[in-house]
Amino acid sequence: MSGHVLAIAHRAGNEAVRLHAAIAAGADIVEADIWPHRGRLEVRHLKTMGPVPLLWDRWQLASGWAARTLLSQLVTDLPPEIGLMLDLKGHNTVSAAEIADISAHLGFQQRLYVCARDWAMLKPFAAQGAVVVHSAGKPGELLKLAPILESGECTAVSVHQGLLDPGIVRRLRERVHLLMTWPVNDVARMRELVGWGVNGITTDSLAVVRAIRAAETAERPTFEPS
């Protein structure tokens, strides 16, 4: 494994227990899902159900009355050396601009990354100095990345691991400094992707995070005193 590979803890920012476990395992970046809701920036993956006091996603339901973590609280809990990736949910570009404005005033000491499948939501963050990450989870989205990459306006992308092969990775790395992929929850798969040239691994697995750190430690040269 050559060069620094970012270990990105998928959704670790959504729950305090997962956050602290990811940091202890050696994650470089913790990801948090951000939903604007009634004037607040809530950290959660589940969606609201309008006036119904429930949160949902696919086959999962949860009470809407439970306390919800706010972005400002998450930032307070993060050590300054840990990066934060905001995964913008929904398709509201007005809300994205509000998130960018609020994020700029939260006093981030760590580097801020912002990703979204709806790329229009990323535009307000470029002026804030965040690392803007265009996400592609389907073949059509990957094709639509081409003109953005050619323009030179995009320096970081996150592509679903099922869409990648050595040739695609090579072509993407010719255009971007940072190529992330998700979900990578198997150590052998992580090593294969890194071998192709991927340098950002988004994972739910602490074993994968630890394997990334262990590989880098093993590669560091040791100097014997003369």
Side-chain angles (χ1 to χ4, degrees):
M1 188 183 297
S2 59
H4 183 66
V5 176
L6 291 175
I8 305 146
H10 189 222
R11 300 180 187 168
N14 293 4
E15 301 173 18
V17 172
R18 294 177 67 180
L19 172 66
H20 297 301
I23 293 171
D28 296 288
I29 300 170
V30 295
E31 183 196 52
D33 296 320
I34 303 298
W35 287 96
H37 184 68
R38 297 179 179 175
R40 310 193 315 168
L41 298 184
E42 297 182 350
V43 181
R44 55 181 166 83
H45 182 72
L46 300 180
K47 308 174 190 67
T48 57
M49 295 182 67
V52 179
L54 289 172
L55 301 176
W56 71 279
D57 184 58
R58 296 184 181 180
W59 308 111
Q60 185 178 359
L61 284 175
S63 170
W65 297 111
R68 304 179 192 177
T69 301
L70 302 181
L71 177 58
S72 55
Q73 296 168 334
L74 172 58
V75 171
T76 300
D77 289 341
L78 275 178
E81 70 274 10
I82 302 298
L84 174 63
M85 179 180 290
L86 305 182
D87 187 353
L88 306 183
K89 298 301 183 182
H91 302 278
N92 190 326
T93 54
V94 174
S95 294
E98 294 174 355
I99 295 171
D101 288 341
I102 293 171
S103 298
H105 291 89
L106 282 177
F108 286 110
Q109 296 178 12
Q110 60 277 358
R111 196 167 192 186
L112 178 64
Y113 299 74
V114 184
C115 67
R117 298 278 292 278
D118 185 343
W119 302 335
M121 297 180 69
L122 297 172
K123 293 181 179 178
F125 291 88
Q128 305 291 3
V131 178
V132 174
V133 183
H134 290 67
S135 295
K138 298 178 181 178
E141 293 173 342
L142 186 58
L143 288 174
K144 289 178 181 178
L145 269 179
I148 299 174
L149 296 173
E150 290 294 332
S151 71
E153 297 176 0
C154 178
T155 60
V157 296
S158 181
V159 178
H160 191 281
Q161 59 93 15
L163 300 177
L164 297 177
D165 61 36
I168 290 174
V169 169
R170 183 177 62 256
R171 290 191 291 274
L172 288 172
R173 286 301 309 276
E174 289 173 351
R175 298 292 183 184
V176 297
H177 298 297
L178 178 57
L179 170 55
M180 302 176 177
T181 190
W182 92 95
V184 185
N185 296 322
D186 177 79
V187 172
R189 178 60 170 162
M190 176 273 290
R191 289 173 176 155
E192 179 180 43
L193 290 161
V194 171
W196 293 350
V198 173
N199 57 349
I201 297 292
T202 301
T203 181
D204 299 285
S205 168
L206 296 183
V208 171
V209 173
R210 295 189 189 101
I212 293 171
R213 293 284 78 83
E216 291 188 343
T217 300
E219 285 189 351
R220 291 183 190 134
T222 57
F223 298 95
E224 297 293 337
S226 56

